[in-house]
Amino acid sequence: MNKIDVVLGLQYGDEGKGKITNQMAKSGAYDYVMRYNGGSNAGHTIYDGGKKVVTHLVPCGVLHGIPSVIGSGCVLHINNFFIELDYLDGLGYDTSLIKVAYNCHIVTDDHIDEDSKDVSIGTTRTGNGPCYRDKVTRVGKRAEDIKELKNFIFDISSMGSDKNILAEGAQGYWLDVDQGDYPYVTSSNCGIGAVLNNGFSHKDINKVVGVAKAYSTYVGAKQYQKTDDPIFEEIRKIGLEYGATTGRSRQIDWLDLNEVSIACLRNGVDHLIINKLDVLEQLNCWNIYDPNTINKILNFESKDSFKDYIRNEISSVCPGIEIEFQESPH
Ligand code: IMP
Ligand code: MG
């Protein structure tokens, strides 16, 4: 059996999965790192020994000399892929470690043109939706059809069945095309099932690490932020809450524990990481939406009481879950 550790976002993306995946990849425990969904709509910001590295598609294993696979659940634009390779090459990383699943679908320029006209969803305009549509309507192109990708083509079967794999997710559970707030979702599945669709058994899953932030953010066309409390602007500035792909300002709101605990439950999260506590600490403001009363905000006096409340609430929904708190990486 393989042993797959999964890193999965529990909110709307931008929870800090890149940082966590990078911490785990660094451990040396993995034979492969695999991205299992999405395309270059994602933006993973990683600080590698003080160096800021922003990737959109390539999994972070390449930063640590680990073969890195763009799985069949992903979509890839050829030119953007090579731009990212050049960028990583320029930073001194060994891009010959990068592999592309033969059955990964190709984003075309037409897909990007079409997506660039979107106003209703607020997409990242990277051609994601049109590409997944063509995959599902069976008119898409796959990596195996593309001459320029010949040297990168990878069949998941060639891994064998006894590998340690780190599976890196993109976006977050509440942007999932089935489970999110449709139509304000991305066009792929972002939950645990998406990992298996890259060619694995549920028995291969070893550990699920769920990542959330100490507050909520969302980018897109719907109104997510409930009020225009000026503190949200401060959180945006301190937390650098601007899209890594599009530079758009992220909408900010207090932590929604119902969202996080449901995502933990449905994805079988073993280990929950709550990131960016330092942002709230700078403002000394510890708020959470009351999980039992809509739109009621609970104020906590201190970081410790905020953490205790989260621990108790999440553990009551997901008994036995490990909970860890972290700060911003920079
Ligand atoms: P698309 O994935 O580009 O089609 O965009 C659909 C929705 O998902 C939009 O609201 C995007 O802002 C959001 N989205 C897509 N990728 C990310 C991400 O990596 N982080 C945060 N939001 C994202
Ligand atoms: Mg991101």
Side-chain angles (χ1 to χ4, degrees):
M1 240 185 321
N2 291 306
K3 271 189 164 180
I4 307 179
D5 290 347
V6 180
V7 177
L8 187 149
L10 303 173
Q11 293 162 310
Y12 295 83
D14 310 312
E15 301 94 345
K17 296 180 293 296
K19 178 186 76 164
I20 303 300
T21 319
N22 196 51
Q23 285 170 2
M24 291 171 72
K26 222 187 272 184
S27 69
Y30 300 101
D31 302 302
Y32 291 94
V33 180
M34 178 190 76
R35 246 294 281 284
Y36 62 84
N37 75 301
S40 40
N41 48 351
H44 282 175
T45 308
I46 296 161
Y47 291 82
D48 181 26
K51 187 161 57 175
K52 183 178 174 184
V53 185
V54 180
T55 58
H56 296 285
L57 185 65
V58 172
C60 75
V62 68
L63 274 53
H64 306 287
I66 308 169
S68 294
V69 182
I70 298 167
S72 63
C74 301
V75 294
L76 172 151
H77 181 267
I78 301 164
N79 208 24
N80 288 344
F81 171 69
F82 283 110
I83 289 172
E84 193 155 314
L85 248 59
D86 283 349
Y87 165 76
L88 291 167
D89 251 338
L91 292 173
Y93 299 113
D94 178 4
T95 53
S96 72
L97 294 165
I98 297 167
K99 314 282 171 215
V100 180
Y102 74 92
N103 43 355
C104 168
H105 272 254
I106 300 297
V107 179
T108 64
D109 291 342
D110 285 348
H111 290 149
I112 294 180
D113 285 348
E114 184 182 342
D115 198 20
S116 298
K117 299 187 184 96
D118 159 79
V119 283
S120 55
I121 306 300
T123 73
T124 59
R125 303 186 161 192
T126 48
N128 214 55
C131 179
Y132 281 109
R133 177 201 58 212
D134 283 359
K135 167 178 171 171
V136 175
T137 51
R138 294 158 298 182
V139 296
K141 273 204 172 66
R142 309 205 296 185
E144 63 181 345
D145 304 324
I146 310 296
K147 218 166 68 198
E148 297 105 291
L149 295 178
K150 209 173 81 212
N151 296 333
F152 299 90
I153 295 300
F154 187 77
D155 184 341
I156 218 82
S157 311
S158 68
M159 278 184 178
S161 56
D162 57 351
K163 294 297 186 293
N164 294 311
I165 301 162
L166 179 59
E168 171 180 345
Q171 288 85 47
Y173 186 66
W174 295 110
L175 287 174
D176 180 281
V177 64
D178 289 306
Q179 304 305 334
D181 183 17
Y182 190 90
Y184 299 104
V185 293
T186 190
S187 299
S188 64
N189 287 109
C190 310
I192 191 72
V195 179
L196 309 185
N197 290 337
N198 284 262
F200 297 100
S201 153
H202 67 283
K203 292 180 182 166
D204 290 330
I205 303 287
N206 180 52
K207 178 175 170 183
V208 182
V209 177
V211 188
K213 268 192 301 215
Y215 49 90
S216 304
T217 63
Y218 162 85
V219 212
K222 76 170 172 183
Q223 188 64 39
Y224 177 78
Q225 187 174 319
K226 292 194 190 73
T227 67
D228 56 4
D229 188 334
I231 198 164
F232 294 141
E233 181 57 32
E234 295 190 56
I235 292 179
R236 183 176 300 122
K237 283 195 186 128
I238 297 169
L240 304 176
E241 298 296 353
Y242 304 93
T245 301
T246 58
R248 291 178 292 180
S249 289
R250 295 173 182 152
Q251 297 182 47
I252 316 278
D253 216 325
W254 304 117
L255 180 63
D256 183 332
L257 271 183
N258 281 330
E259 277 175 5
V260 175
S261 51
I262 293 169
C264 286
L265 198 62
R266 295 198 192 159
N267 292 290
V269 171
D270 300 296
H271 189 96
L272 165 64
I273 297 172
I274 310 243
N275 267 322
K276 287 193 156 180
L277 243 65
D278 54 311
V279 175
L280 297 185
E281 187 150 44
Q282 280 199 47
L283 298 162
N284 196 26
C285 189
W286 304 102
N287 289 354
I288 297 179
Y289 276 111
D290 184 340
N292 304 308
T293 313
I294 288 177
N295 293 349
K296 182 177 167 204
I297 296 166
L298 303 172
N299 315 100
F300 296 89
E301 275 176 16
S302 67
K303 176 157 83 173
D304 284 342
S305 51
F306 176 85
K307 284 163 70 171
D308 285 346
Y309 185 81
I310 294 174
R311 273 202 196 93
N312 286 335
E313 281 297 313
I314 300 272
S315 302
S316 73
V317 180
C318 307
I321 193 169
E322 292 168 13
I323 304 176
E324 182 190 341
F325 294 89
Q326 290 200 15
E327 313 225 312
S328 304
H330 35 78

